[in-house]
Amino acid sequence: MMMMMMMKVMMMVTVMVSEGSIIEQTCKETPDFNLCVSLLNSDPRGSSADTSGLALILIDKIKGLTTKTLNEINGLYKKRPELKRALDECSRRYKTILNADVPEAIEAISKGVPKFGEDGVIDAGVEASVCEGGFKGKSPLTSLTKSMQKISNVTRAIVRMLL
Amino acid sequence: MASSDALLPISAREEDPLCPYTRLPMADPNQETHGRRRRPFKGLLAVSFGLLFIAFYVALIATHDGSRSNDAVIDETKTTTSRARLAGVSEKSNDGLWKLSGDRNTPAFEWNNSMLSWQRTAFHFQPEQNWMNDPNGPLFYKGWYHFFYQYNPNAAVWGDIVWGHAVSRDLIHWVHLPIAMVADQWYDSNGVWTGSATILPDGSIVMLYTGSTDKAVQVQNLAYPEDPSDPLLLKWVKFPGNPVLVPPPGILPKDFRDPTTAWKTSEGKWRITIGSKLNRTGISLVYDTTDFKTYEKLDTLLHRVPNTGMWECVDFYPVSKTAVNGLDTSVKGPDVKHIVKASMDDTRFDHYAVGTYFDSNGTWIPDDPTIDVGMSTSLRYDYGKFYASKTFYDQNKGRRVLWSWIGESDSEAADVQKGWSSVQGIPRTVVLDTKTGKNLVQWPVEEIKSLRLSSKQFDIEVGPGSVVPVDVGSATQLDIEAEFEINKESLDKIIRNASVVAEAEEFSCEKSGGSTVRGALGPFGFSVLATESLSEQTPVYFYVAKGKDSELKTIFCIDTSRSSVANDVVKPIYGSVVPVLKGEKLTMRILVDHSIVEAFGQGGRTCITSRVYPTSAIYGAAKLFLFNNALDATVTASFRVWQMNSAFIHPYTEEAFRALTRT
């Protein structure tokens, strides 16, 4: 009886200790531990995902951020009509992330050829940077750009673990 | 910190590999009867142990929690290490772009359709549109060269992969045919991936390829032509008993792909090899078969190299030690060495090594283990953008021919806008360098000369620090063959003067600053796809320097860092040392074809392929220059420049077929 109780306590405690540790161990190998942990912990799949699964969660985050940024871009056409040209370029770039990079990365990681996933993830950061550059220093999207660049870097690090 | 939410019911954690205690056996009823008399004492022991364990675990959590601030410090070192691991591994990186986008003076570049459509090549194989990657199953059959390739019919990025198909009489003029194999079976529904052809002694063809199954497991499948009398091999049949190979025990389901051409063993069986990995060790598995339908896996590996990661697109073939012709894949013997080549998933480099094959147990050992396959020091077919390469034995002309996937170095948005991505390198013959015995020599297939139109010969002496325009008219489709000689006095000054410090070993194309950094004896060479003002240019050059042994060393590079003012393209400096033997002049050949530049040093001892995306050095504005950035040496260049015709690669029509059949 005592043994049973002890076992239960030990198991519960081990669970508490090991609960975050796959995520934490993985995130330690990325350029932004805190961002990585918070993104993965915010997804219910995070606690039981393997490395592929963690990568797919982050690609989902990239997708979400892309949609959010596209909405922001659409809103800016009215508020800042003088930025139309840069906004057009950004719209094109973020649509590439949504329609090319993300599907490519999801397919590649799910099928075990992660290098194409790495390409898609890196490109997401590239497209965000190019969009940002179009505003010549006066970007209304800087904080979203920075988020994309950071998430892209963290995701890339995790995808590389699959190679 | 794990919250109370983390205290999942135990049943949910039963499978958790991290939890070592879920498998503890239940109390043994036999023990209970035995220990009945000692129970009270045992009980006390159990309680104290229990408290001790609980205390231990609580302490563990507490330190785990409290050490988080320490972890942050540790993390930084780890972060820097992981950044170092990331940098330089794949050339595509957004690190450089962060700096650019933060710089208010660098506007983002906007591509227009004129610039993008210029990028399409004139005489390199590429499908009419969309994405291509690995070359597949190249072969010669009934008068036609066949080429298959990984193709996405739906987008300009990788995905939905099927086998594209094209035929040619001469490896240069291609006609696109319908897709050869689609993902229509459960064993390849997630992808019809890379494979190789074997031509049997009776002339029939078997094709082995990797399928990604409906459960995304990598398996090997057999296919063969539906109609062997059709020289165009339009239709293919998949063996109903597929898959013929599934991942063996110990090999993960996603680490088993790219079967090679088979070779005959001395026992009369067919043997293939398939790349894989065990943890971080790259390996190549070996299988024997008599009918390509059932296989026996050998216990031995063809080869393994630790810390090289997954081996993709393994290739294995014999080369003659003495002759400069190719050899059928089954050839063995004392006059032959064997090449093992693999594409390294980690680094996107193709590496090879020269070695000896032991047919009795299907193993191979490298001649020089310090440059074994996949090591950073190991030889590469090409020091630029070049991957997933594959050779085949061309029985038509008795040569071994190398195909290679040349991806883009631009953004995917540009690929989507222009509607295509990737080309193949010009097919190259591959032979062992009979002079050095240690490396391969590659050269564009002879048939490319059929594209040569008019040419001009030049003999120019270029003084130190000069750039000379070379007037050839149009400069976007060129074949350049050049010989260079450095003036003797400058050479002697460097070799004989003991105070001149050896720098060759420290020099690397990648890290030594590119073609503008001047040394005593270089850099010198050509600048291709250059604007009149040199605002955009792609130098292809030699850098000669003194080595530690006081002998001269020659390094061959392509510098794409100023190839374009666009900031959303990758612009590395590529290259490597090129062996130059006594008495040899320095020679280079350059093929310029719009957005691809291929360079061959010393007759193909060192090859470099690069992708470039100029914004103004395009169409009529692209020029050719000769330059010498050496500090005091004068260089004499003798060279010929040919205008290159288009290969007019186009889809199959009755007319095209008839025209090609006539040649």
Side-chain angles (χ1 to χ4, degrees), chain A residues 6 13 24 92-93 101 107 111 115 118 122-123 127 160 163, chain B residues 50 57 68 89 92 160 190 280 312 346 348 412-413 417 568:
Chain A
M6 220 177 72
V13 158
E24 285 182 2
R92 205 168 67 77
R93 297 288 177 162
D101 296 338
E107 185 175 347
K111 294 182 183 179
K115 68 175 181 289
E118 184 182 9
I122 292 173
D123 192 66
E127 306 298 356
R160 283 203 62 78
L163 290 171
Chain B
Y57 270 86
R68 183 110 2 157
V89 170
K92 260 195 180 175
D160 298 345
N190 271 317
R280 303 305 305 153
E312 301 192 292
D346 279 11
R348 320 294 161 78
E412 291 191 10
Q417 191 179 349
D568 60 346

PDB file of all heavy atoms in Angstrom, chain A residues 6 13 24 92-93 101 107 111 115 118 122-123 127 160 163, chain B residues 50 57 68 89 92 160 190 280 312 346 348 412-413 417 568:
ATOM      1  N   MET A   6       3.794   5.523  -2.858  1.00  0.00           N
ATOM      2  CA  MET A   6       5.112   6.071  -3.197  1.00  0.00           C
ATOM      3  C   MET A   6       5.268   6.116  -4.698  1.00  0.00           C
ATOM      4  O   MET A   6       5.729   7.096  -5.266  1.00  0.00           O
ATOM      5  CB  MET A   6       6.173   5.147  -2.606  1.00  0.00           C
ATOM      6  CG  MET A   6       7.325   5.890  -2.014  1.00  0.00           C
ATOM      7  SD  MET A   6       8.480   4.757  -1.258  1.00  0.00           S
ATOM      8  CE  MET A   6       9.225   3.987  -2.681  1.00  0.00           C
ATOM      9  N   VAL A  13       5.353  13.169  -9.756  1.00  0.00           N
ATOM     10  CA  VAL A  13       6.447  14.138  -9.676  1.00  0.00           C
ATOM     11  C   VAL A  13       7.322  14.064 -10.932  1.00  0.00           C
ATOM     12  O   VAL A  13       7.742  15.069 -11.478  1.00  0.00           O
ATOM     13  CB  VAL A  13       7.259  13.879  -8.381  1.00  0.00           C
ATOM     14  CG1 VAL A  13       8.640  14.438  -8.500  1.00  0.00           C
ATOM     15  CG2 VAL A  13       6.525  14.475  -7.188  1.00  0.00           C
ATOM     16  N   GLU A  24      11.457  21.816 -23.712  1.00  0.00           N
ATOM     17  CA  GLU A  24      12.589  22.615 -23.234  1.00  0.00           C
ATOM     18  C   GLU A  24      13.888  22.146 -23.847  1.00  0.00           C
ATOM     19  O   GLU A  24      14.712  22.955 -24.282  1.00  0.00           O
ATOM     20  CB  GLU A  24      12.660  22.549 -21.710  1.00  0.00           C
ATOM     21  CG  GLU A  24      11.572  23.396 -21.068  1.00  0.00           C
ATOM     22  CD  GLU A  24      11.650  23.393 -19.552  1.00  0.00           C
ATOM     23  OE1 GLU A  24      12.572  22.755 -19.008  1.00  0.00           O
ATOM     24  OE2 GLU A  24      10.796  24.038 -18.930  1.00  0.00           O
ATOM     25  N   ARG A  92       2.252  40.495 -51.865  1.00  0.00           N
ATOM     26  CA  ARG A  92       2.770  39.418 -52.700  1.00  0.00           C
ATOM     27  C   ARG A  92       3.673  38.493 -51.906  1.00  0.00           C
ATOM     28  O   ARG A  92       3.606  37.265 -51.997  1.00  0.00           O
ATOM     29  CB  ARG A  92       3.547  40.050 -53.856  1.00  0.00           C
ATOM     30  CG  ARG A  92       3.633  39.189 -55.084  1.00  0.00           C
ATOM     31  CD  ARG A  92       4.151  40.009 -56.255  1.00  0.00           C
ATOM     32  NE  ARG A  92       5.531  40.433 -56.078  1.00  0.00           N
ATOM     33  CZ  ARG A  92       6.579  39.638 -56.249  1.00  0.00           C
ATOM     34  NH1 ARG A  92       6.418  38.384 -56.587  1.00  0.00           N
ATOM     35  NH2 ARG A  92       7.796  40.104 -56.073  1.00  0.00           N
ATOM     36  N   ARG A  93       4.543  39.101 -51.101  1.00  0.00           N
ATOM     37  CA  ARG A  93       5.516  38.311 -50.355  1.00  0.00           C
ATOM     38  C   ARG A  93       4.827  37.426 -49.321  1.00  0.00           C
ATOM     39  O   ARG A  93       5.153  36.255 -49.159  1.00  0.00           O
ATOM     40  CB  ARG A  93       6.522  39.244 -49.667  1.00  0.00           C
ATOM     41  CG  ARG A  93       7.355  40.082 -50.649  1.00  0.00           C
ATOM     42  CD  ARG A  93       8.362  39.256 -51.364  1.00  0.00           C
ATOM     43  NE  ARG A  93       9.142  39.956 -52.367  1.00  0.00           N
ATOM     44  CZ  ARG A  93      10.292  39.505 -52.855  1.00  0.00           C
ATOM     45  NH1 ARG A  93      10.795  38.374 -52.421  1.00  0.00           N
ATOM     46  NH2 ARG A  93      10.934  40.192 -53.772  1.00  0.00           N
ATOM     47  N   ASP A 101       5.414  28.610 -49.221  1.00  0.00           N
ATOM     48  CA  ASP A 101       6.323  28.160 -48.160  1.00  0.00           C
ATOM     49  C   ASP A 101       5.667  27.218 -47.172  1.00  0.00           C
ATOM     50  O   ASP A 101       6.222  26.174 -46.823  1.00  0.00           O
ATOM     51  CB  ASP A 101       6.872  29.372 -47.386  1.00  0.00           C
ATOM     52  CG  ASP A 101       7.730  30.274 -48.264  1.00  0.00           C
ATOM     53  OD1 ASP A 101       8.246  29.805 -49.299  1.00  0.00           O
ATOM     54  OD2 ASP A 101       7.887  31.462 -47.920  1.00  0.00           O
ATOM     55  N   GLU A 107       4.297  19.554 -46.098  1.00  0.00           N
ATOM     56  CA  GLU A 107       4.442  18.306 -46.847  1.00  0.00           C
ATOM     57  C   GLU A 107       5.818  17.683 -46.608  1.00  0.00           C
ATOM     58  O   GLU A 107       5.928  16.488 -46.348  1.00  0.00           O
ATOM     59  CB  GLU A 107       4.219  18.546 -48.352  1.00  0.00           C
ATOM     60  CG  GLU A 107       4.254  17.240 -49.137  1.00  0.00           C
ATOM     61  CD  GLU A 107       3.918  17.355 -50.632  1.00  0.00           C
ATOM     62  OE1 GLU A 107       3.407  18.407 -51.070  1.00  0.00           O
ATOM     63  OE2 GLU A 107       4.171  16.373 -51.357  1.00  0.00           O
ATOM     64  N   LYS A 111       6.531  14.119 -44.645  1.00  0.00           N
ATOM     65  CA  LYS A 111       6.968  12.982 -45.442  1.00  0.00           C
ATOM     66  C   LYS A 111       8.427  12.613 -45.217  1.00  0.00           C
ATOM     67  O   LYS A 111       8.951  11.725 -45.882  1.00  0.00           O
ATOM     68  CB  LYS A 111       6.728  13.272 -46.926  1.00  0.00           C
ATOM     69  CG  LYS A 111       5.236  13.366 -47.228  1.00  0.00           C
ATOM     70  CD  LYS A 111       4.968  13.613 -48.696  1.00  0.00           C
ATOM     71  CE  LYS A 111       3.474  13.773 -48.909  1.00  0.00           C
ATOM     72  NZ  LYS A 111       3.134  14.043 -50.322  1.00  0.00           N
ATOM     73  N   LYS A 115      14.620  18.749 -45.613  1.00  0.00           N
ATOM     74  CA  LYS A 115      15.391  19.846 -46.195  1.00  0.00           C
ATOM     75  C   LYS A 115      14.506  20.799 -46.990  1.00  0.00           C
ATOM     76  O   LYS A 115      14.754  22.004 -47.011  1.00  0.00           O
ATOM     77  CB  LYS A 115      16.540  19.336 -47.063  1.00  0.00           C
ATOM     78  CG  LYS A 115      16.135  18.633 -48.344  1.00  0.00           C
ATOM     79  CD  LYS A 115      17.399  18.313 -49.146  1.00  0.00           C
ATOM     80  CE  LYS A 115      17.079  17.625 -50.447  1.00  0.00           C
ATOM     81  NZ  LYS A 115      16.602  16.251 -50.230  1.00  0.00           N
ATOM     82  N   GLU A 118      13.030  23.055 -44.529  1.00  0.00           N
ATOM     83  CA  GLU A 118      13.969  24.094 -44.113  1.00  0.00           C
ATOM     84  C   GLU A 118      13.946  25.252 -45.110  1.00  0.00           C
ATOM     85  O   GLU A 118      13.910  26.413 -44.730  1.00  0.00           O
ATOM     86  CB  GLU A 118      15.393  23.528 -43.992  1.00  0.00           C
ATOM     87  CG  GLU A 118      16.374  24.569 -43.463  1.00  0.00           C
ATOM     88  CD  GLU A 118      17.814  24.076 -43.371  1.00  0.00           C
ATOM     89  OE1 GLU A 118      18.120  22.974 -43.870  1.00  0.00           O
ATOM     90  OE2 GLU A 118      18.626  24.818 -42.786  1.00  0.00           O
ATOM     91  N   ILE A 122      12.993  29.050 -44.071  1.00  0.00           N
ATOM     92  CA  ILE A 122      13.944  30.152 -44.275  1.00  0.00           C
ATOM     93  C   ILE A 122      13.312  31.215 -45.160  1.00  0.00           C
ATOM     94  O   ILE A 122      13.421  32.413 -44.900  1.00  0.00           O
ATOM     95  CB  ILE A 122      15.239  29.654 -44.944  1.00  0.00           C
ATOM     96  CG1 ILE A 122      16.018  28.744 -44.002  1.00  0.00           C
ATOM     97  CG2 ILE A 122      16.116  30.830 -45.358  1.00  0.00           C
ATOM     98  CD1 ILE A 122      17.212  28.094 -44.668  1.00  0.00           C
ATOM     99  N   ASP A 123      12.638  30.753 -46.204  1.00  0.00           N
ATOM    100  CA  ASP A 123      12.068  31.714 -47.151  1.00  0.00           C
ATOM    101  C   ASP A 123      11.028  32.598 -46.471  1.00  0.00           C
ATOM    102  O   ASP A 123      10.896  33.776 -46.816  1.00  0.00           O
ATOM    103  CB  ASP A 123      11.465  30.986 -48.350  1.00  0.00           C
ATOM    104  CG  ASP A 123      11.131  31.953 -49.467  1.00  0.00           C
ATOM    105  OD1 ASP A 123      12.075  32.533 -50.030  1.00  0.00           O
ATOM    106  OD2 ASP A 123       9.943  32.160 -49.749  1.00  0.00           O
ATOM    107  N   GLU A 127      11.034  36.518 -47.065  1.00  0.00           N
ATOM    108  CA  GLU A 127       9.920  37.313 -47.613  1.00  0.00           C
ATOM    109  C   GLU A 127       9.535  38.438 -46.649  1.00  0.00           C
ATOM    110  O   GLU A 127       9.263  39.569 -47.070  1.00  0.00           O
ATOM    111  CB  GLU A 127       8.704  36.427 -47.904  1.00  0.00           C
ATOM    112  CG  GLU A 127       8.946  35.207 -48.788  1.00  0.00           C
ATOM    113  CD  GLU A 127       9.428  35.517 -50.216  1.00  0.00           C
ATOM    114  OE1 GLU A 127       9.523  36.693 -50.601  1.00  0.00           O
ATOM    115  OE2 GLU A 127       9.727  34.548 -50.949  1.00  0.00           O
ATOM    116  N   ARG A 160      16.064  21.489 -38.694  1.00  0.00           N
ATOM    117  CA  ARG A 160      17.404  20.943 -38.919  1.00  0.00           C
ATOM    118  C   ARG A 160      17.674  19.729 -38.043  1.00  0.00           C
ATOM    119  O   ARG A 160      18.477  18.865 -38.399  1.00  0.00           O
ATOM    120  CB  ARG A 160      18.470  22.013 -38.679  1.00  0.00           C
ATOM    121  CG  ARG A 160      18.566  22.999 -39.837  1.00  0.00           C
ATOM    122  CD  ARG A 160      19.913  23.684 -39.895  1.00  0.00           C
ATOM    123  NE  ARG A 160      20.987  22.749 -40.110  1.00  0.00           N
ATOM    124  CZ  ARG A 160      21.310  22.186 -41.271  1.00  0.00           C
ATOM    125  NH1 ARG A 160      20.631  22.481 -42.356  1.00  0.00           N
ATOM    126  NH2 ARG A 160      22.309  21.335 -41.348  1.00  0.00           N
ATOM    127  N   LEU A 163      17.080  16.511 -39.940  1.00  0.00           N
ATOM    128  CA  LEU A 163      17.875  16.110 -41.102  1.00  0.00           C
ATOM    129  C   LEU A 163      18.665  14.837 -40.812  1.00  0.00           C
ATOM    130  O   LEU A 163      19.120  14.632 -39.703  1.00  0.00           O
ATOM    131  CB  LEU A 163      18.841  17.232 -41.502  1.00  0.00           C
ATOM    132  CG  LEU A 163      18.207  18.480 -42.113  1.00  0.00           C
ATOM    133  CD1 LEU A 163      19.234  19.570 -42.254  1.00  0.00           C
ATOM    134  CD2 LEU A 163      17.615  18.156 -43.483  1.00  0.00           C
TER     135      LEU A 163
ATOM    136  N   GLY B  50      10.247   6.057   1.253  1.00  0.00           N
ATOM    137  CA  GLY B  50       9.247   6.858   0.561  1.00  0.00           C
ATOM    138  C   GLY B  50       9.459   8.340   0.784  1.00  0.00           C
ATOM    139  O   GLY B  50       9.492   9.127  -0.162  1.00  0.00           O
ATOM    140  N   TYR B  57      12.597  14.072  -4.945  1.00  0.00           N
ATOM    141  CA  TYR B  57      11.885  14.597  -6.106  1.00  0.00           C
ATOM    142  C   TYR B  57      11.482  16.043  -5.943  1.00  0.00           C
ATOM    143  O   TYR B  57      11.537  16.810  -6.895  1.00  0.00           O
ATOM    144  CB  TYR B  57      10.666  13.711  -6.417  1.00  0.00           C
ATOM    145  CG  TYR B  57      11.054  12.624  -7.370  1.00  0.00           C
ATOM    146  CD1 TYR B  57      11.600  11.429  -6.911  1.00  0.00           C
ATOM    147  CD2 TYR B  57      10.951  12.817  -8.734  1.00  0.00           C
ATOM    148  CE1 TYR B  57      12.008  10.455  -7.785  1.00  0.00           C
ATOM    149  CE2 TYR B  57      11.366  11.833  -9.611  1.00  0.00           C
ATOM    150  CZ  TYR B  57      11.897  10.661  -9.128  1.00  0.00           C
ATOM    151  OH  TYR B  57      12.318   9.699  -9.994  1.00  0.00           O
ATOM    152  N   ARG B  68      16.350  28.091 -13.502  1.00  0.00           N
ATOM    153  CA  ARG B  68      15.977  28.678 -14.800  1.00  0.00           C
ATOM    154  C   ARG B  68      16.848  29.890 -15.124  1.00  0.00           C
ATOM    155  O   ARG B  68      17.244  30.097 -16.252  1.00  0.00           O
ATOM    156  CB  ARG B  68      14.499  29.077 -14.777  1.00  0.00           C
ATOM    157  CG  ARG B  68      14.017  29.624 -16.074  1.00  0.00           C
ATOM    158  CD  ARG B  68      13.081  28.822 -16.888  1.00  0.00           C
ATOM    159  NE  ARG B  68      12.603  27.569 -16.456  1.00  0.00           N
ATOM    160  CZ  ARG B  68      11.487  27.051 -16.897  1.00  0.00           C
ATOM    161  NH1 ARG B  68      10.732  27.744 -17.695  1.00  0.00           N
ATOM    162  NH2 ARG B  68      11.111  25.861 -16.523  1.00  0.00           N
ATOM    163  N   VAL B  89      25.634  26.532 -43.051  1.00  0.00           N
ATOM    164  CA  VAL B  89      25.246  25.172 -43.400  1.00  0.00           C
ATOM    165  C   VAL B  89      24.409  25.191 -44.663  1.00  0.00           C
ATOM    166  O   VAL B  89      24.675  24.495 -45.608  1.00  0.00           O
ATOM    167  CB  VAL B  89      24.465  24.505 -42.252  1.00  0.00           C
ATOM    168  CG1 VAL B  89      23.877  23.209 -42.732  1.00  0.00           C
ATOM    169  CG2 VAL B  89      25.392  24.245 -41.088  1.00  0.00           C
ATOM    170  N   LYS B  92      21.112  29.466 -47.988  1.00  0.00           N
ATOM    171  CA  LYS B  92      19.910  30.288 -47.878  1.00  0.00           C
ATOM    172  C   LYS B  92      19.741  30.649 -46.418  1.00  0.00           C
ATOM    173  O   LYS B  92      19.564  29.784 -45.578  1.00  0.00           O
ATOM    174  CB  LYS B  92      18.682  29.490 -48.344  1.00  0.00           C
ATOM    175  CG  LYS B  92      18.258  29.816 -49.743  1.00  0.00           C
ATOM    176  CD  LYS B  92      16.861  29.287 -50.015  1.00  0.00           C
ATOM    177  CE  LYS B  92      16.460  29.647 -51.440  1.00  0.00           C
ATOM    178  NZ  LYS B  92      15.177  29.079 -51.803  1.00  0.00           N
ATOM    179  N   ASP B 160       3.985  17.407 -54.178  1.00  0.00           N
ATOM    180  CA  ASP B 160       3.171  16.622 -55.128  1.00  0.00           C
ATOM    181  C   ASP B 160       4.029  15.932 -56.196  1.00  0.00           C
ATOM    182  O   ASP B 160       3.668  15.921 -57.377  1.00  0.00           O
ATOM    183  CB  ASP B 160       2.170  17.528 -55.863  1.00  0.00           C
ATOM    184  CG  ASP B 160       1.169  18.182 -54.915  1.00  0.00           C
ATOM    185  OD1 ASP B 160       1.058  17.724 -53.764  1.00  0.00           O
ATOM    186  OD2 ASP B 160       0.510  19.157 -55.326  1.00  0.00           O
ATOM    187  N   ASN B 190       2.162   9.307 -51.718  1.00  0.00           N
ATOM    188  CA  ASN B 190       2.710  10.527 -51.143  1.00  0.00           C
ATOM    189  C   ASN B 190       3.967  11.004 -51.863  1.00  0.00           C
ATOM    190  O   ASN B 190       4.623  11.937 -51.414  1.00  0.00           O
ATOM    191  CB  ASN B 190       2.992  10.339 -49.651  1.00  0.00           C
ATOM    192  CG  ASN B 190       1.780  10.703 -48.815  1.00  0.00           C
ATOM    193  OD1 ASN B 190       1.124  11.706 -49.076  1.00  0.00           O
ATOM    194  ND2 ASN B 190       1.465   9.890 -47.823  1.00  0.00           N
ATOM    195  N   ARG B 280      23.637   9.765 -36.328  1.00  0.00           N
ATOM    196  CA  ARG B 280      24.271  10.751 -37.197  1.00  0.00           C
ATOM    197  C   ARG B 280      25.263  10.124 -38.178  1.00  0.00           C
ATOM    198  O   ARG B 280      25.967  10.845 -38.887  1.00  0.00           O
ATOM    199  CB  ARG B 280      25.005  11.826 -36.371  1.00  0.00           C
ATOM    200  CG  ARG B 280      24.170  12.576 -35.368  1.00  0.00           C
ATOM    201  CD  ARG B 280      22.944  13.229 -35.928  1.00  0.00           C
ATOM    202  NE  ARG B 280      23.233  14.112 -37.040  1.00  0.00           N
ATOM    203  CZ  ARG B 280      22.396  14.409 -38.029  1.00  0.00           C
ATOM    204  NH1 ARG B 280      21.198  13.884 -38.064  1.00  0.00           N
ATOM    205  NH2 ARG B 280      22.744  15.238 -38.991  1.00  0.00           N
ATOM    206  N   GLU B 312      21.754  10.840 -49.049  1.00  0.00           N
ATOM    207  CA  GLU B 312      20.727  10.806 -50.101  1.00  0.00           C
ATOM    208  C   GLU B 312      21.412  10.520 -51.441  1.00  0.00           C
ATOM    209  O   GLU B 312      22.622  10.731 -51.576  1.00  0.00           O
ATOM    210  CB  GLU B 312      20.020  12.162 -50.197  1.00  0.00           C
ATOM    211  CG  GLU B 312      19.329  12.604 -48.911  1.00  0.00           C
ATOM    212  CD  GLU B 312      18.410  13.790 -49.122  1.00  0.00           C
ATOM    213  OE1 GLU B 312      18.916  14.882 -49.402  1.00  0.00           O
ATOM    214  OE2 GLU B 312      17.186  13.602 -49.016  1.00  0.00           O
ATOM    215  N   ASP B 346      22.477  17.138 -44.618  1.00  0.00           N
ATOM    216  CA  ASP B 346      22.806  18.213 -43.668  1.00  0.00           C
ATOM    217  C   ASP B 346      23.346  19.465 -44.333  1.00  0.00           C
ATOM    218  O   ASP B 346      23.090  20.572 -43.893  1.00  0.00           O
ATOM    219  CB  ASP B 346      23.902  17.734 -42.699  1.00  0.00           C
ATOM    220  CG  ASP B 346      23.326  16.890 -41.582  1.00  0.00           C
ATOM    221  OD1 ASP B 346      22.157  16.504 -41.660  1.00  0.00           O
ATOM    222  OD2 ASP B 346      24.083  16.618 -40.628  1.00  0.00           O
ATOM    223  N   ARG B 348      23.767  19.912 -47.958  1.00  0.00           N
ATOM    224  CA  ARG B 348      23.421  20.083 -49.376  1.00  0.00           C
ATOM    225  C   ARG B 348      24.647  20.054 -50.272  1.00  0.00           C
ATOM    226  O   ARG B 348      24.695  20.725 -51.297  1.00  0.00           O
ATOM    227  CB  ARG B 348      22.630  21.351 -49.685  1.00  0.00           C
ATOM    228  CG  ARG B 348      21.598  21.738 -48.742  1.00  0.00           C
ATOM    229  CD  ARG B 348      20.444  20.757 -48.673  1.00  0.00           C
ATOM    230  NE  ARG B 348      19.717  20.984 -47.434  1.00  0.00           N
ATOM    231  CZ  ARG B 348      18.848  21.988 -47.232  1.00  0.00           C
ATOM    232  NH1 ARG B 348      18.576  22.811 -48.217  1.00  0.00           N
ATOM    233  NH2 ARG B 348      18.258  22.142 -46.074  1.00  0.00           N
ATOM    234  N   GLU B 412      11.419  32.475 -52.968  1.00  0.00           N
ATOM    235  CA  GLU B 412      10.341  31.666 -53.532  1.00  0.00           C
ATOM    236  C   GLU B 412       9.272  32.559 -54.157  1.00  0.00           C
ATOM    237  O   GLU B 412       8.597  32.142 -55.099  1.00  0.00           O
ATOM    238  CB  GLU B 412       9.790  30.702 -52.477  1.00  0.00           C
ATOM    239  CG  GLU B 412      10.838  29.631 -52.171  1.00  0.00           C
ATOM    240  CD  GLU B 412      10.377  28.435 -51.352  1.00  0.00           C
ATOM    241  OE1 GLU B 412       9.162  28.290 -51.129  1.00  0.00           O
ATOM    242  OE2 GLU B 412      11.250  27.651 -50.926  1.00  0.00           O
ATOM    243  N   ALA B 413       9.170  33.781 -53.669  1.00  0.00           N
ATOM    244  CA  ALA B 413       8.208  34.707 -54.294  1.00  0.00           C
ATOM    245  C   ALA B 413       8.589  34.951 -55.751  1.00  0.00           C
ATOM    246  O   ALA B 413       7.724  35.012 -56.630  1.00  0.00           O
ATOM    247  CB  ALA B 413       8.167  36.026 -53.535  1.00  0.00           C
ATOM    248  N   GLN B 417       6.495  33.997 -58.998  1.00  0.00           N
ATOM    249  CA  GLN B 417       6.187  35.018 -59.993  1.00  0.00           C
ATOM    250  C   GLN B 417       6.663  34.595 -61.380  1.00  0.00           C
ATOM    251  O   GLN B 417       5.953  34.770 -62.371  1.00  0.00           O
ATOM    252  CB  GLN B 417       6.824  36.350 -59.601  1.00  0.00           C
ATOM    253  CG  GLN B 417       6.318  37.511 -60.454  1.00  0.00           C
ATOM    254  CD  GLN B 417       6.942  38.849 -60.046  1.00  0.00           C
ATOM    255  OE1 GLN B 417       7.598  38.951 -59.009  1.00  0.00           O
ATOM    256  NE2 GLN B 417       6.737  39.864 -60.880  1.00  0.00           N
ATOM    257  N   ASP B 568      17.279  40.081 -52.197  1.00  0.00           N
ATOM    258  CA  ASP B 568      16.539  38.888 -51.814  1.00  0.00           C
ATOM    259  C   ASP B 568      17.049  37.660 -52.560  1.00  0.00           C
ATOM    260  O   ASP B 568      16.310  36.697 -52.784  1.00  0.00           O
ATOM    261  CB  ASP B 568      15.035  39.074 -52.041  1.00  0.00           C
ATOM    262  CG  ASP B 568      14.700  39.364 -53.494  1.00  0.00           C
ATOM    263  OD1 ASP B 568      15.626  39.689 -54.266  1.00  0.00           O
ATOM    264  OD2 ASP B 568      13.515  39.271 -53.860  1.00  0.00           O
TER     265      ASP B 568
END
